[in-house]
Amino acid sequence: MKPLHNARHATEAHLIRGYLESQGITVLVRGEFLAGGVGELPADLCKVWVVDDCEFARADALLRYFLQGTAAREHAHEGWRCEPCDENMEGQFTSCWKCGSVRPV
Ligand SMILES: [Zn+2]
């Protein structure tokens, strides 16, 4: 098992996990329980791990691609709509201020 990414917060870690799992790679998110709270966590406490070392190179390449896309979206200022609660968001929000859902990919 190898550490792939230090997430800025648990939401990012789970977003990455969901993406990599959708690509058939088994990953774990470790450390979110240590901080004992919701919201911003120290970066070194929330890591994404690739379970199978054989999948690490592919996971790393996919993550780079994924983060590039995420960064591009973060710079886009067009608004979006939160699916679960039907709330309209401004472009600078990457998750819903009302229900906490992450901006759809
Ligand atoms: Zn919402």
Side-chain angles (χ1 to χ4, degrees), residues 13-100:
H14 285 288
L15 201 65
I16 290 167
R17 185 184 69 169
Y19 171 71
L20 291 176
E21 285 183 344
S22 77
Q23 302 297 315
I25 293 171
T26 307
V27 299
L28 287 176
V29 173
R30 283 283 177 84
E32 64 194 295
F33 310 109
L34 298 175
V38 186
E40 295 282 313
L41 304 179
D44 61 342
L45 287 183
C46 206
K47 273 186 185 168
V48 181
W49 296 76
V50 177
V51 174
D52 186 341
D53 288 1
C54 299
E55 292 178 333
F56 184 83
R58 195 164 80 89
D60 190 49
L62 284 165
L63 178 64
R64 281 168 208 278
Y65 174 77
F66 178 72
L67 292 177
Q68 276 174 9
T70 303
R73 278 195 307 280
E74 283 179 355
H75 288 294
H77 287 286
E78 69 269 28
W80 54 286
R81 190 175 62 83
C82 175
E83 295 279 351
C85 69
D86 206 31
E87 199 66 38
N88 287 312
M89 297 296 131
E90 292 178 32
Q92 72 265 31
F93 295 111
T94 54
S95 61
C96 177
W97 51 263
K98 190 173 179 185
C99 71

